[in-house]
Amino acid sequence: MLDTLVLSRMQFAANISFHILFPTITIALGWILFFFKLRFDQTDNPVWMRAYRFWVKVFALTFALGVVSGITMSFQFGTNWPGFMETVGNIAGPLLGYEVLTAFFLEATFLGIMLFGINRVPSKIHTLSALIVAIGTTISAFWILALNSWMHTPAGYEMRDGVAHVTSWLEVIFNPSFPYRFTHMLLASGLTAAFFVAGLSAYRILQGDPKLAPRLALKTGLVLAAILAPVQAFVGDLHGLNTFEHQPQKIAAMEGVWETERGAPLLLFAIPDEAQRTNHFEIAIPKMASLILTHELDGEIRGLNEFEGNHPPVKPLFFGFRVMVGMGVLMLAVAWTGCYLLLRRRGELPVWMLKIVVAMTFSGWLATLSGWYVTEIGRQPWLVTGVLPTADAVTPLAPANVGFSLTMYLLVYVVLMSAYIHTLRVMARKSVKVEEFETEAPQAGGKLTNVPDATEEGAA
Amino acid sequence: MTMESMSFADWLPVIFIGLMGLAVLIYAVLDGYDLGVGILLPMDASDESQRDTMIASIGPFWDANETWLVLGVGLLLIAFPSAHSMVLMNLYIPTAIMLIGLIMRGVAFDFRAKAAVDHKLTWDRTFKIGSLLTSLTQGYMLGQYVMGFESSWSAQLFSALSAIGVTAAYSYIGAAWLILKTEGKLQRRAVHWTRLAGRAAFVGVVAVSVVNPLVNPGVFDRWFTFPLVMFALLVPMLCFLAFTANEILLRRLPKVDDRHCWIPFVNVLLVFLLCFTGLAFSFYPEIVPGKLDIWQAASATESLQFILVGAAIVVPTILAYTVFSYRVFRGKATELRYH
């Protein structure tokens, strides 16, 4: 029988995994939309406006899913993890509070103007709203990652009677792992959104869309991904070094290193065996892990056996890490090949390449989720490293209650996910058939499209 | 504790319960009207264009409206963590159901506009059911809160009554919002809805007001102690006045040139404000009735100070750009367009 702890962990994992999918898209998609709108303001080229109009609808849908799945999160702390707030509430509370105060209202309010206000405010104000929404989503990421990073590498606090009290807010917010994690996540969002935009645009082109807007969006997505992928590799490496310094047991599990050794090999593949504390079927590059982590061929990596009984489960970290890195390499390859082909063929991709890009539409989700699984499972058995074990924070509720809510959430999530993907496809197909003739600049009180109402796409 | 002997640290919980109260009140009004619009959604096949207009009237706002709930719960979490745990653990199942309701209506709103035409009706139903579920569970939770989380059958009965009362109140403000934001046939329909929902809400408010002091002796003493009773009775009297004024006015609406179309909404606003004042007056300074007061539940002073600095700057800013947004979308609701 599953106990409340396991069920609560499953529920939290389910909620946050489902939730993170949508902000991961919207954080960067907000900036991409601002870019589209800004380019339209600068160039008066209506193709930018058409690209904006399609993607703003996708943004609205994705954002709504992010909002509703996020509201669930704000209740989770009290319902399932009362020990978390009792012990570190003095730190977690204000950080979450600042997220609501500085980000949620900003994005939610200006989203209304961004989505529905283009005919009611001057174009400049509308572009400004798009910018504010993008800033809002980024600020939101800032606070939530500050808190999450603090749970990994707590700083700027002292314990009094078993309760954490703040000694320096600056140290709390800019704790050792925060700058790396924040940058890593923003770039992950950029890559996710880039492939999402490129993938859905490629789908439209494959469906026979002759218009320029999807081609422009495809190009934007691929170029963005081509730039961000190598930057992400670099930042990811820095993040890894930071983790190596502060959470060596996490790195040991990611790399499958059991005994402390100098000149540790990089395992391309293996099956870690926690019972026998060894790996099977290793395929390794000698000394590479030491080189990557210590920048020396015979640098020392502390093994899992040094942390016996106090390190995270090895398998999920080992495989999760490889899935994330594998996706990263694949993204880099696809983005660069795509850009190369775009250059060679003057903006048109061959059908086989379009199909590959479509297949990569949700690649960012896979990479982001596996990355988060590595870092979050890697913190176990702690909820806050060295301060609060996960098992001590859980609710005393009966398992049946948690089982009930978990089942409900899972059901709803399955329905929502299929509806979301289905609706994206419907939107893409609908947009293929819509004729657009946009010639004039938008004005307050005027219409943008200059076409009869009947042909306008999906007025909401 | 007298006012003079209170230090700044003692005042902080008072300030935060005030902020939280403000957030909850604004939430009840703002999400109240958009939940109400969802509850009132007519589901006949011939009503589709009216459904479009009704949903368009809340389109630019619902998202920010729901954020006030996050702020209210967030402030409870930040400032009174032990109360947050106590309340939410006692209300675990209704909270989960309410969240499902909120999820349903939030996504239905966006899906209905973008899904294939044959699914639109399904999403409209989802929107209506989600709104209803959210209102009912919120009302139920309010009832449970007032009854000190008792599970006796009388407490359950009271909570059920409160669930219906809150749903009626949300429908009341939702219908009044529609009078303000729509015209023609739909507006006349909204006038009718406002009258019905108003009467139901009136019964609900009276019932809750009578039962509350009877079951909570502390509440009774507070309301009926001289000389405060003179002031205290002003609240229900004004509330009655607002209900009556609406009842009379609604018989004459809509008027020529749409005069006075905004008055019902203001009157309902007044009802909400007064009911909220009544509840706050019943329980302050207790945050979990009979169990915990705000000083016992408050978190560390330095944390409250840190967040207060931000709140003092940000909350007025939020109010300012909320007003800006309502100004941008003032006037009658028009079809929502993303361009």
Side-chain angles (χ1 to χ4, degrees):
Chain A
M1 185 59 195
L2 295 169
D3 62 10
T4 301
L5 174 63
V6 175
L7 284 168
S8 289
R9 283 187 67 189
M10 281 166 67
Q11 178 167 310
F12 201 86
N15 282 341
I16 202 147
S17 300
F18 185 74
H19 173 65
I20 191 70
L21 300 174
F22 305 103
T24 306
I25 289 177
T26 50
I27 292 168
L29 191 54
W31 288 102
I32 294 174
L33 281 171
F34 171 63
F35 171 74
F36 284 165
K37 183 71 209 295
L38 193 68
R39 292 295 292 154
F40 173 72
D41 284 354
Q42 288 170 341
T43 63
D44 270 346
N45 180 354
V47 181
W48 289 112
M49 194 62 209
R50 278 182 243 155
Y52 171 85
R53 276 177 33 192
F54 177 76
W55 284 101
V56 82
K57 278 184 259 177
V58 176
F59 183 82
L61 183 66
T62 315
F63 193 89
L65 279 153
V67 169
V68 293
S69 59
I71 292 179
T72 322
M73 299 306 308
S74 70
F75 284 86
Q76 287 279 299
F77 298 107
T79 52
N80 293 72
W81 303 99
F84 179 71
M85 289 311 286
E86 279 157 24
T87 313
V88 300
N90 288 328
I91 287 145
L95 295 183
L96 290 169
Y98 268 104
E99 186 188 12
V100 180
L101 286 172
T102 60
F104 285 178
F105 281 105
L106 205 61
E107 42 187 13
T109 309
F110 284 92
L111 184 72
I113 298 174
M114 177 183 174
L115 294 181
F116 307 117
I118 200 167
N119 288 336
R120 286 175 175 258
V121 293
S123 186
K124 285 237 171 65
I125 301 283
H126 180 260
T127 310
L128 184 68
S129 299
L131 174 66
I132 292 175
V133 170
I135 291 174
T137 56
T138 311
I139 296 176
S140 176
F142 174 91
W143 291 111
I144 209 72
L145 281 155
L147 173 56
N148 179 272
S149 298
W150 186 84
M151 290 160 65
H152 285 271
T153 54
Y157 72 105
E158 62 183 15
M159 298 301 287
R160 278 185 245 146
D161 306 324
V163 174
H165 287 258
V166 175
T167 53
S168 159
W169 279 109
L170 271 183
E171 281 178 42
V172 167
I173 295 168
F174 295 96
N175 61 76
S177 65
F178 170 68
Y180 302 98
R181 203 182 310 274
F182 182 50
T183 319
H184 197 45
M185 182 59 206
L186 288 188
L187 289 168
S189 170
L191 279 167
T192 306
F195 273 98
F196 181 65
V197 169
L200 216 54
S201 304
Y203 180 74
R204 279 176 66 175
I205 298 170
L206 279 175
Q207 291 288 315
D209 196 332
K211 295 192 282 290
L212 286 173
R215 284 164 178 80
L216 193 67
L218 174 68
K219 188 175 151 197
T220 308
L222 283 178
V223 170
L224 184 63
I227 297 168
L228 293 186
V231 180
Q232 181 69 309
F234 176 69
V235 171
D237 180 52
L238 290 181
H239 188 27
L241 293 182
N242 179 267
T243 310
F244 184 59
E245 189 186 333
H246 294 278
Q247 295 171 298
Q249 70 281 19
K250 190 193 281 184
I251 293 288
M254 281 155 63
E255 298 292 354
V257 179
W258 294 94
E259 284 298 332
T260 300
E261 61 182 312
R262 294 188 162 276
L266 179 70
L267 300 178
L268 295 180
F269 183 82
I271 296 183
D273 182 338
E274 213 162 325
Q276 297 180 32
R277 302 194 76 77
T278 183
N279 300 324
H280 305 293
F281 313 109
E282 281 187 9
I283 303 171
I285 306 176
K287 296 191 187 290
M288 266 311 271
S290 283
L291 182 67
I292 292 171
L293 287 165
T294 63
H295 295 181
E296 277 170 41
L297 276 176
D298 58 351
E300 184 183 87
I301 297 185
R302 293 167 73 192
L304 287 161
N305 290 341
E306 277 196 36
F307 310 97
E308 202 166 344
N310 196 19
H311 65 72
V314 181
K315 264 192 192 140
L317 266 73
F318 185 84
F319 290 117
F321 181 63
R322 269 147 197 78
V323 171
M324 179 186 76
V325 173
M327 286 315 296
V329 172
L330 200 61
M331 286 168 145
L332 183 75
V334 171
W336 282 13
T337 314
C339 285
Y340 172 75
L341 288 172
L342 277 180
L343 266 181
R344 281 281 304 274
R345 300 180 174 231
R346 301 200 181 123
E348 283 292 335
L349 285 183
V351 170
W352 62 269
M353 189 64 204
L354 286 172
K355 284 183 178 159
I356 291 180
V357 176
V358 171
M360 294 287 285
T361 306
F362 297 108
S363 56
W365 278 2
L366 190 58
T368 306
L369 275 187
S370 49
W372 273 111
Y373 276 49
V374 168
T375 202
E376 291 295 290
I377 298 175
R379 196 187 52 229
Q380 302 303 326
W382 297 100
L383 185 55
V384 180
T385 308
V387 176
L388 178 66
T390 310
D392 290 1
V394 79
T395 175
L397 279 173
N401 282 5
V402 186
F404 170 75
S405 55
L406 175 62
T407 315
M408 255 187 0
Y409 285 131
L410 288 178
L411 274 174
V412 170
Y413 288 161
V414 169
V415 172
L416 288 187
M417 187 44 83
S418 47
Y420 178 68
I421 307 255
H422 172 74
T423 305
L424 285 180
R425 188 184 300 207
V426 170
M427 286 166 76
R429 291 202 174 163
K430 241 200 243 174
S431 69
V432 172
K433 299 194 193 85
V434 175
E435 296 278 341
E436 291 178 302
F437 318 88
E438 285 163 308
T439 46
E440 285 176 20
Q443 314 150 343
K447 259 196 355 173
L448 268 176
T449 46
N450 306 314
V451 284
D453 279 354
T455 57
E456 287 199 29
E457 59 185 291
Chain B
M1 196 162 355
T2 60
M3 295 254 263
E4 292 75 30
S5 69
M6 278 171 73
S7 66
F8 179 62
D10 294 329
W11 273 106
L12 273 171
V14 179
I15 296 170
F16 272 90
I17 197 74
L19 262 178
M20 205 187 109
L22 183 72
V24 171
L25 177 63
I26 296 180
Y27 171 76
V29 168
L30 296 185
D31 213 28
Y33 79 69
D34 72 45
L35 283 165
V37 170
I39 296 166
L40 293 169
L41 223 54
M43 292 313 300
D44 275 358
S46 56
D47 293 327
E48 186 176 337
S49 73
Q50 292 197 351
R51 285 201 296 275
D52 286 348
T53 312
M54 285 169 73
I55 289 180
S57 78
I58 57 177
F61 310 116
W62 74 268
D63 198 345
N65 292 352
E66 280 187 3
T67 309
W68 288 98
L69 176 66
V70 180
L71 181 65
V73 175
L75 283 173
L76 183 64
L77 180 80
I78 300 159
F80 310 104
S82 47
H84 181 263
S85 301
M86 197 185 277
V87 170
L88 286 184
M89 271 179 2
N90 276 301
L91 299 175
Y92 187 80
I93 298 289
T95 304
I97 297 175
M98 178 193 78
L99 289 172
I100 299 286
L102 281 174
I103 291 176
M104 281 166 69
R105 69 190 300 272
V107 297
F109 182 88
D110 267 283
F111 277 127
R112 78 183 291 278
K114 296 168 188 81
V117 178
D118 51 331
H119 288 312
K120 194 171 165 191
L121 191 64
T122 313
W123 288 119
D124 283 345
R125 285 205 186 98
T126 313
F127 189 73
K128 188 178 170 99
I129 295 168
S131 304
L132 198 59
L133 213 55
T134 308
S135 311
L136 286 171
T137 43
Q138 284 183 1
Y140 176 83
M141 288 194 271
L142 178 68
Q144 280 283 299
Y145 176 83
V146 169
M147 297 299 283
F149 309 117
E150 265 184 58
S151 53
S152 65
W153 69 268
S154 57
Q156 294 297 332
L157 205 67
F158 177 77
S159 303
L161 186 72
S162 158
I164 296 168
V166 166
T167 307
Y170 283 172
S171 310
Y172 191 27
I173 199 166
W177 169 259
L178 287 174
I179 298 179
L180 174 66
K181 297 297 275 188
T182 64
E183 48 207 340
K185 222 167 124 193
L186 179 56
Q187 193 186 36
R188 283 196 293 281
R189 225 172 159 182
V191 171
H192 179 63
W193 287 334
T194 314
R195 292 179 68 179
L196 293 185
R199 287 169 198 169
F202 180 73
V203 173
V205 169
V206 170
V208 172
S209 313
V210 170
V211 176
N212 185 14
L214 290 184
V215 296
N216 291 317
V219 174
F220 185 89
D221 292 346
R222 192 170 292 195
W223 279 91
F224 297 100
T225 307
F226 197 80
L228 216 52
V229 67
M230 304 307 290
F231 162 77
L233 290 182
L234 204 63
V235 173
M237 271 168 57
L238 281 174
C239 200
F240 181 75
L241 219 63
F243 269 116
T244 320
N246 247 6
E247 185 66 31
I248 294 167
L249 176 70
L250 285 167
R251 281 187 210 150
R252 300 182 186 158
L253 283 180
K255 294 185 179 171
V256 184
D257 292 336
D258 212 17
R259 276 186 310 131
H260 303 160
C261 71
W262 52 274
I263 295 182
F265 190 76
V266 174
N267 268 334
V268 185
L269 203 69
L270 203 63
V271 169
F272 270 58
L273 184 68
L274 291 163
C275 290
F276 184 83
T277 313
L279 273 176
F281 181 71
S282 300
F283 294 114
Y284 176 86
E286 286 179 343
I287 189 158
V288 182
K291 298 200 171 82
L292 213 56
D293 73 25
I294 55 172
W295 291 282
Q296 290 164 329
S299 48
T301 303
E302 66 266 32
S303 293
L304 291 180
Q305 268 169 344
F306 177 65
I307 193 77
L308 182 64
V309 176
I313 302 166
V314 178
V315 171
T317 317
I318 293 172
L319 289 173
Y321 62 62
T322 303
V323 170
F324 171 70
S325 166
Y326 277 81
R327 274 189 59 82
V328 166
F329 294 102
R330 69 184 176 277
K332 298 294 175 186
T334 48
E335 195 187 349
L336 288 186
R337 288 175 194 286
Y338 286 95
H339 38 83

